[in-house]
Amino acid sequence: MTTTFLSTFLRELGSRRNLAASAALLFLLVVAVLSAAAPLLPIQDPLAIDTLNILSGPSQAHWLGTDELGRDILSRIIHGGRISLGVALSAVLLAGVLGTLLGVLIGFCGPRVEAVAMRLIDVFVSLPEIFVALIALALLGGGLGTLIGTIGLIYCPQFARVVYNMTRSIRAREHVLAARSLGAGRLWLIRHEALPNLYSIIAVQASVTFSFALLMEAGLSFLGLGVQPPTPSWGQMVGILKNYIYINPWSAVFPGLALFFVVLAVNLVGDLLQDVLNPELRK
Amino acid sequence: MLRFLGHRLSSALLTLAIAAVAVFLVARMIPGDPVMIMLGEATGGDPAAVARMRNELGLDRSLFVQFSNWAMRLLQGDFGVSIRSGEPVLDDLLLRIPRSLELIAGGLLVAVLLGLPLGILSARNRGRLSGAISSIVSVIGFSAPVFVSGVILVVVFGVWLQVLPSSGYVPFADDPLLHLSCLVLPSLAIGLNFMGVVARVTRASLIDTMDNDYVALARAKGLSRGRAMIRHALPNAMVPVIAIIGIRAGNLLGGTVIVEALFDWPGLSSLLVSASFSRDYPVIQGSLIAIFAIFILISLLIDLAQSFFDPRVRATA
Amino acid sequence: MEMTRRSFALTGLTALTGLALGGTSLSAFAAGKAGTLRYGTVTEVTNIDPHIYAGNSWKVLIGVLYSPLVTFDTKGEIVPAVAESWEQPDAATIVFRLREGVTFHDGSALTADDVVFSLERIRDEATGATLRGYLVDCTIAKVDERTVEVKKSEPDASLLSVLALPEAAMVSKAWVESGVNIKSQANGTGPFTLAEYESGVRARLAANPSYFIEGEPKLETVDFRMIKSDDARVSALRSGQLDMIDFVPWKDIDMLARMPNFEVDSASGAFMSVWFNATRAPFDDPRVRRAMAFAVDREAISRAAFFGHGTPIFSAPTPEDSPYYNADLKGTVSLDIEKAKALLAEAGHGEGLDMELIVYQGLGIYTTTAQILQANLKEIGVNVSIRLVEWSDLVSRKNGADYDAMIYGVSMKLNDPDAYSYYLGSESAYWAKPIGYRDETLEALLDEGRQLTDQGARKAVYAKAEERILETMPWIFINYREQAQAYTRKVKGYVHLGGALSEAAPAISLPKIALD
């Protein structure tokens, strides 16, 4: 299943119908490389302050202008991408690993634990996440670690639920029932039957969660609860520079656009992943 | 129908109860002492004064006693008294709930008024340029974070055109027109994002229903494609649209956090934000409960609306 | 009060209904009455107890709802208020003669008992009053029905100015003891009564018809709106929704001043400083603190964080227009990286050191200042990590000595150099005083200055005190920030004050303001 999922996805990506998604994927790759290589790029120091040149518009020296301390906005957007994408990626990893474990375990734990655990998970999934994140960060204080931990934990129940549902349907398959009747242990079943069949659904859920986590990080940083200055992140830059839109409207718009294009690209790629997973949706 | 209602209501209440316990525990497990914060500036944290105040507020009793007291009072509609202002939390909530509902209603209005036509357009003109453009617009709306579209709206309408207030709140009674004009940009900021969702679902479900027999029959009877779509397919296509509004109600509510901060709107979310910064437990708890209650209520209403449109939903309950 | 709050909630509901009906009854509401000043203020006041400081907007509110025994006028001089006259039999005692016929807003008459009760309430530790530190070693006695004596244990030249501050407000004994919620209700003797109040959002003040000063207040109503967002406040003024705003954002001072229909008054307000935790090494070493003081680029901070509306402090924070200003000290501290490095090396930290800087996250000036400071200190090898915190967190870290250094801006609370003992004295009850800092030489100088009455003699003492402060550097003084008030030209009679009175200036002017 894993190989067919991947090959179908790659084939679809090549087709003309999905030009937008392949362009989006290419864009994401470029952004990822730029962000990862930011310290090596021949761009200005994102922390270099120039108080004689604050909030200036786009110019030859600063293509996207400068911020409230005269720092180069283009350079800060590229370096900010490291934080925004890095936090979202780490949070997805955390949510994915914990959520998958939780989901699979619940799936093999017997009906009583199942009922209670899923009821709790349903409640947490249904509640609006941002309020939970907001309280946690406001009370614990911002910072990179807290930020990743909070976002990761918040999206963990969603993973658990998706994985649990899939596990349950796998569990009911005939050859799994057969293996159980032959005396296969729970751990053997989880390793050999459940996990291999889960990769595709995990991939789709991860792409959805990645875009949510990006937006969550941006929203929290916008409110001042994310990474601390002078380290830039996109949401935080918009949050600070929106205070100066009457002096220089562009400064707040540029980092916002960076975030918007990345989320758009992630959504386009995610749509395609979903289509490949559910062929009937494609018509 | 009654059984369905009872089932949904009890499950909503259970959710609310679990949320209440979680809210209480989370607020208490977090470090930070409201008493030190209250007395901090004035007394430099004198131990005797701190102990006295802690006793007055009941913070020196066991967690379980505090919780049962709180829950009992909550059941009687008593949300406690704000640590900061000494006023009943309920008064603050009653004042701010309508303001947040106003934002949500405004956002929903924008989403439906723009999203439905957009979805219909892109379903109807599938394969044509106008259809593709409508689809693109809806993906863009869906991908633009609330604060990014909010900032762009402020730049365009507040800074450049100067036709709408860029932020602020004016009570309706003071100046109704100004009140409404203050509401426009925040509603758009919340609504544009949701519009994308509504348009996408409308499109998908319209395309789905168009393949149904009765639509084909209507067309065979001589109705144009467009008329068949509006008259016969649209009402049935509404079910998933209503469902998505229910599923995404949390996003709508969550959007108020950003929008209230961006536009300085004194609603529930901004109350929650300011209360958590000053560790005002009763207000944190009260506003969270109110927010979750609103959310659960919206979901409940959506469930009912759905069952009204689609009897099958009732059967599965 | 109950009624008011409910009617507020009703207003919200009406708004919703109005929305549903498509706003059919729009014309039933009228905007802005004659004689109403619409005032936009920056702090979201959530507690209006007149004795517990809660931000500059709080000071404006309680300054017009309550009155002290004596008060400052628009020239900054002390004039009668609840007391019609006073005498000072010796340097430690003041005897106040109360004005006849002063009544509280609830109609009851103010008595000598109320005065004693009010001052005792400030002294009571349980109240947590801001001025407690100043009055704690006072005895307050009722001499007769119209006379009250306030006596300190030793001479104190600043006592009268303390009692003239708005936070030395007179409250009604019977009213407070009746168990009302003084955090959200008001019953003072001031020029305005509290007609409506929503905590953190707005207040409506109505003229007090029985105010004890004839002909005041001139306004009928003050509509007091708390608008934290800088842009919202400025654009509300520009679009005519407000008549006056305080705390004009620094970035907008020049823009508003250029517009023909607005008046912008500005004067130096609070001063920004870096506070050290002297209980923690290496910040207990004056050489380390001094080294950092010489690394700060005060011009750059004034330029970027305050858009040019800040005055760098190159000595101690006594304002230049104060009779106690010592011009000889100017330039004692300036940007001198070599000297800074040398001092740091002398203290044994030539290889540099790490430091966490606690910064209030609510205002752009703090984050901007902190980041410039961070860049400045990096030049001498001090690696600063910035930690943005909420106000409540800042206060509890300060009190718990859980910080290396923090930056904050405070205004001179007192029009007297004894303000230094409030800020830097080890006996001070002020929350911001430097933790772990106690300098015997400075203590002795401050005691001496407080007990002298002759201005010339005091000036000499405080010059020495300032010298000592700069040698030990408990705080790094950065700059004075300008505090600006902006209003439409139809507002007449506003007088802006700087320094210690900058926060109280609107309250002092409000009874005298009229609208064209």
Side-chain angles (χ1 to χ4, degrees):
Chain A
M1 182 160 179
T2 315
T3 46
T4 51
F5 176 73
L6 202 64
S7 60
T8 321
F9 176 69
L10 289 176
R11 196 178 59 239
E12 285 293 323
L13 208 56
S15 103
R16 265 189 66 192
R17 195 158 37 121
N18 294 316
L19 199 67
S22 40
L25 192 65
L26 191 70
F27 172 72
L28 283 181
L29 284 175
V30 171
V31 171
V33 169
L34 277 182
S35 303
L40 308 171
L41 296 177
I43 49 173
Q44 303 187 26
D45 179 356
L47 302 182
I49 287 173
D50 177 5
T51 56
L52 290 170
N53 190 19
I54 58 172
L55 296 167
S56 63
S59 68
Q60 205 133 40
H62 304 280
W63 291 0
L64 300 185
T66 58
D67 73 357
E68 83 282 9
L69 283 165
R71 297 172 296 204
D72 184 60
I73 286 184
L74 175 64
S75 163
R76 285 181 73 75
I77 287 179
I78 294 173
H79 281 265
R82 283 164 76 81
I83 302 291
S84 297
L85 297 172
V87 168
L89 204 64
S90 323
V92 170
L93 274 176
L94 183 67
V97 171
L98 282 182
T100 306
L101 280 178
L102 206 63
V104 172
L105 282 178
I106 294 172
F108 281 93
C109 258
R112 240 179 255 162
V113 180
E114 232 175 276
V116 175
M118 287 322 291
R119 179 76 231 179
L120 279 176
I121 284 182
D122 279 345
V123 170
F124 279 109
V125 171
S126 75
L127 295 177
E129 307 94 8
I130 184 140
F131 293 101
V132 182
L134 181 116
I135 297 280
L137 282 169
L139 300 183
L140 290 172
L144 214 53
T146 339
L147 194 61
I148 293 172
T150 308
I151 300 178
L153 287 181
I154 276 177
Y155 288 110
C156 169
Q158 293 193 0
F159 256 102
R161 189 159 73 166
V162 170
V163 169
Y164 162 79
N165 286 335
M166 197 66 191
T167 312
R168 217 170 52 158
S169 78
I170 293 170
R171 203 179 50 184
R173 283 182 198 162
E174 277 170 31
H175 62 281
V176 178
L177 290 175
R180 277 187 99 165
S181 64
L182 288 174
R186 277 182 194 175
L187 277 179
W188 187 91
L189 281 172
I190 291 175
R191 188 139 31 105
H192 291 92
E193 291 296 336
L195 285 179
N197 283 305
L198 285 170
Y199 288 131
S200 49
I201 191 117
I202 289 174
V204 173
Q205 182 61 28
S207 83
V208 174
T209 309
F210 185 69
S211 105
F212 284 168
L214 257 178
L215 288 174
M216 179 68 82
E217 186 276 331
L220 292 169
S221 296
F222 172 81
L223 292 173
L225 293 166
V227 285
Q228 314 271 301
T231 313
S233 98
W234 295 338
Q236 176 222 55
M237 289 174 75
V238 181
I240 291 173
L241 291 168
K242 70 148 205 293
N243 295 318
Y244 304 102
I245 43 176
Y246 279 93
I247 298 176
N248 176 10
W250 291 110
S251 55
V253 171
F254 288 131
L257 287 179
L259 177 68
F260 162 69
F261 282 120
V262 169
V263 175
L264 182 65
V266 173
N267 285 344
L268 289 172
V269 176
D271 280 357
L272 185 65
L273 276 174
Q274 214 142 19
D275 286 359
V276 173
L277 186 71
N278 307 326
E280 69 270 25
L281 270 184
R282 247 182 307 160
K283 62 165 195 196
Chain B
M1 188 67 201
L2 263 181
R3 254 192 68 198
F4 169 74
L5 194 69
H7 178 86
R8 282 295 142 102
L9 207 60
S10 60
S11 109
L13 284 177
L14 182 67
T15 310
L16 196 58
I18 295 178
V21 177
V23 163
F24 180 84
L25 286 179
V26 165
R28 292 306 152 95
M29 279 185 313
I30 295 311
D33 185 345
V35 175
M36 280 296 278
I37 289 153
M38 273 185 291
L39 293 178
E41 186 174 351
T43 65
D46 176 75
V50 168
R52 188 168 36 241
M53 178 151 251
R54 189 160 284 150
N55 179 269
E56 269 170 34
L57 295 169
L59 291 173
D60 53 353
R61 263 155 275 170
S62 83
L63 205 62
F64 180 75
V65 173
Q66 287 187 47
F67 176 73
S68 54
N69 285 345
W70 177 68
M72 282 311 291
R73 270 184 267 124
L74 199 62
L75 286 177
Q76 295 158 15
D78 178 2
F79 282 72
V81 171
S82 159
I83 292 178
R84 286 178 298 174
S85 68
E87 284 291 294
V89 175
L90 188 63
D91 285 4
D92 243 345
L93 294 180
L94 287 180
L95 215 53
R96 284 165 182 263
I97 286 172
R99 294 181 192 151
S100 287
L101 287 180
E102 229 181 320
L103 278 188
I104 293 173
L108 209 54
L109 204 68
V110 169
V112 172
L113 284 186
L114 297 178
L116 271 185
L118 205 62
I120 295 172
L121 205 68
S122 80
R124 214 187 121 173
N125 300 341
R126 199 152 45 122
R128 271 186 267 165
L129 185 67
S130 58
I133 291 177
S134 336
S135 296
I136 291 173
V137 170
S138 68
V139 180
I140 288 178
F142 172 69
S143 302
V146 170
F147 63 85
V148 174
S149 43
V151 163
I152 292 175
L153 285 169
V154 170
V155 168
V156 174
F157 294 100
V159 182
W160 288 343
L161 302 177
Q162 309 210 340
V163 287
L164 287 167
S166 56
S167 64
Y169 170 85
V170 176
F172 188 78
D174 284 12
D175 189 339
L177 268 181
L178 201 57
H179 173 88
L180 292 178
S181 67
C182 284
L183 188 59
V184 174
L185 290 185
S187 304
L188 274 174
I190 291 194
L192 283 182
N193 183 268
F194 208 56
M195 167 204 83
V197 181
V198 171
R200 274 158 73 103
V201 177
T202 307
R203 175 179 189 269
S205 89
L206 260 182
I207 291 173
D208 237 24
T209 30
M210 280 304 279
D211 295 340
N212 276 327
D213 293 345
Y214 60 88
V215 181
L217 184 73
R219 288 207 65 190
K221 278 161 112 187
L223 240 63
S224 74
R225 191 178 146 77
R227 289 198 119 184
M229 185 177 266
I230 303 291
R231 238 195 249 151
H232 294 274
L234 193 60
N236 287 294
M238 283 312 288
V239 177
V241 174
I242 293 171
I244 199 75
I245 292 178
I247 292 168
R248 295 299 194 96
N251 289 32
L252 212 52
L253 211 53
T256 63
V257 176
I258 305 287
V259 165
E260 287 184 13
L262 180 59
F263 293 94
D264 243 330
W265 191 266
L268 260 186
S269 300
S270 51
L271 180 68
L272 176 67
V273 173
S274 75
S276 20
F277 284 142
S278 46
R279 264 71 163 172
D280 193 340
Y281 293 141
V283 179
I284 297 179
Q285 290 163 348
S287 43
L288 267 182
I289 296 270
I291 286 165
F292 290 158
I294 290 178
F295 172 72
I296 290 165
L297 195 71
I298 293 179
S299 318
L300 198 67
L301 288 176
I302 295 287
D303 274 353
L304 294 180
Q306 238 184 314
S307 75
F308 179 77
F309 274 94
D310 185 357
R312 278 171 305 176
V313 176
R314 249 174 297 172
T316 55
Chain C
M1 204 58 222
E2 261 315 289
M3 275 307 292
T4 342
R5 292 190 62 85
R6 218 158 275 153
S7 72
F8 260 42
L10 271 177
T11 314
L13 287 175
T14 323
L16 270 185
T17 351
L19 212 67
L21 297 173
T24 39
S25 50
L26 292 192
S27 53
F29 301 92
K33 296 180 213 82
T36 297
L37 179 83
R38 295 160 303 166
Y39 188 103
T41 191
V42 65
T43 334
E44 293 174 342
V45 183
T46 52
N47 181 346
I48 52 169
D49 186 324
H51 294 149
I52 307 171
Y53 182 80
N56 66 313
S57 310
W58 166 88
K59 203 154 182 167
V60 181
L61 259 184
I62 68 115
V64 294
L65 292 172
Y66 294 89
S67 1
L69 284 166
V70 289
T71 189
F72 289 100
D73 68 2
T74 49
K75 290 182 207 75
E77 272 151 28
I78 294 175
V79 294
V82 167
E84 62 178 16
S85 64
W86 61 93
E87 43 191 88
Q88 288 180 273
D90 57 70
T93 315
I94 310 177
V95 179
F96 291 98
R97 178 88 179 143
L98 303 184
R99 203 187 282 265
E100 215 160 351
V102 176
T103 56
F104 287 103
H105 297 159
D106 66 2
S108 61
L110 176 134
T111 64
D113 292 318
D114 292 317
V115 175
V116 174
F117 173 80
S118 303
L119 296 177
E120 289 295 353
R121 184 171 187 270
I122 294 173
R123 292 181 65 240
D124 184 359
E125 176 188 71
T127 311
T130 315
L131 295 180
R132 177 167 179 264
Y134 282 113
L135 300 180
V136 72
D137 67 340
C138 281
T139 44
I140 292 136
K142 170 179 162 183
V143 178
D144 61 50
E145 285 310 317
R146 283 186 55 201
T147 317
V148 173
E149 185 195 80
V150 181
K151 191 179 179 64
K152 266 202 139 176
S153 58
E154 46 187 42
D156 180 354
S158 68
L159 184 58
L160 190 64
S161 348
V162 170
L163 292 171
L165 293 171
E167 46 269 65
M170 293 299 121
V171 296
S172 155
K173 179 171 192 260
W175 182 73
V176 173
E177 287 180 344
S178 73
V180 292
N181 183 0
I182 195 170
K183 292 173 176 179
S184 61
Q185 297 176 40
N187 180 28
T189 54
F192 291 94
T193 63
L194 189 62
E196 283 175 29
Y197 171 64
E198 185 192 340
S199 158
V201 179
R202 62 204 305 245
R204 200 187 293 272
L205 310 175
N208 172 10
S210 45
Y211 183 50
F212 52 77
I213 293 177
E214 202 60 46
E216 288 184 10
K218 296 193 161 59
L219 293 163
E220 240 171 82
T221 340
V222 179
D223 193 356
F224 201 77
R225 295 190 200 150
M226 304 166 201
I227 308 174
K228 197 169 75 179
S229 150
D230 283 346
D231 282 338
R233 217 162 53 253
V234 172
S235 65
L237 177 75
R238 289 179 57 178
S239 63
Q241 297 162 43
L242 294 175
D243 305 308
M244 178 181 260
I245 59 169
D246 59 21
F247 231 83
V248 180
W250 293 273
K251 67 187 167 71
D252 295 323
I253 293 180
D254 290 339
M255 182 265 293
L256 282 176
R258 277 196 302 267
M259 297 178 78
N261 40 341
F262 297 112
E263 201 80 64
V264 182
D265 292 348
S266 127
S268 67
F271 60 96
M272 305 284 290
S273 336
V274 180
W275 303 346
F276 290 106
N277 179 357
T279 60
R280 229 179 237 187
F283 313 105
D284 56 347
D285 186 337
R287 287 170 301 187
V288 172
R289 304 193 294 252
R290 274 168 62 78
M292 293 194 212
F294 281 100
V296 177
D297 187 350
R298 294 168 176 77
E299 305 271 4
I301 291 173
S302 297
R303 194 162 51 223
F306 299 95
F307 292 82
H309 295 283
T311 316
I313 302 174
F314 294 112
S315 56
T318 303
E320 286 192 29
D321 55 6
S322 159
Y324 293 97
Y325 177 71
N326 183 359
D328 298 343
L329 281 178
K330 185 161 181 168
T332 312
V333 188
S334 57
L335 180 62
D336 187 341
I337 297 292
E338 288 320 308
K339 182 161 184 176
K341 280 183 176 161
L343 277 164
L344 209 56
E346 196 187 315
H349 295 280
E351 77 291 351
L353 55 97
D354 295 331
M355 169 172 112
E356 188 183 57
L357 186 66
I358 304 292
V359 181
Y360 172 53
Q361 67 100 53
L363 277 172
I365 48 166
Y366 288 113
T367 31
T368 312
T369 303
Q371 292 177 77
I372 299 176
L373 212 60
Q374 183 183 42
N376 288 163
L377 292 177
K378 202 173 174 191
E379 305 234 337
I380 60 165
V382 176
N383 296 311
V384 176
S385 58
I386 294 174
R387 179 151 190 89
L388 294 183
V389 298
E390 255 315 307
W391 164 244
S392 53
D393 207 8
L394 183 113
V395 176
S396 55
R397 273 165 181 273
K398 180 72 192 23
N399 289 333
D402 177 21
Y403 66 104
D404 293 340
M406 40 177 72
I407 47 170
Y408 207 69
V410 286
S411 51
M412 278 290 181
K413 288 283 181 290
L414 205 57
N415 224 353
D416 187 282
D418 190 41
Y420 282 126
S421 36
Y422 186 57
Y423 286 119
L424 307 174
S426 63
E427 302 300 321
S428 170
Y430 182 51
W431 73 281
K433 70 171 181 185
I435 297 253
Y437 171 82
R438 185 188 163 89
D439 184 70
E440 297 307 333
T441 317
L442 181 64
E443 297 283 323
L445 286 166
L446 292 175
D447 279 346
E448 194 185 342
R450 197 178 312 120
Q451 293 179 25
L452 291 171
T453 41
D454 174 63
Q455 202 182 65
R458 290 188 85 203
K459 196 175 168 175
V461 172
Y462 284 111
K464 274 193 240 162
E466 286 190 336
E467 235 171 275
R468 185 65 191 163
I469 290 169
L470 295 176
E471 273 164 30
T472 51
M473 204 67 76
W475 289 358
I476 297 177
F477 306 109
I478 301 174
N479 63 0
Y480 262 108
R481 60 192 203 210
E482 274 177 32
Q483 216 65 36
Q485 195 89 359
Y487 47 95
T488 58
R489 293 207 183 264
K490 67 173 183 170
V491 177
K492 300 288 175 208
Y494 177 75
V495 180
H496 199 56
L497 301 168
L501 293 177
S502 87
E503 283 189 322
I508 294 170
S509 279
L510 267 177
K512 300 174 176 65
I513 287 179
L515 294 174
D516 249 0

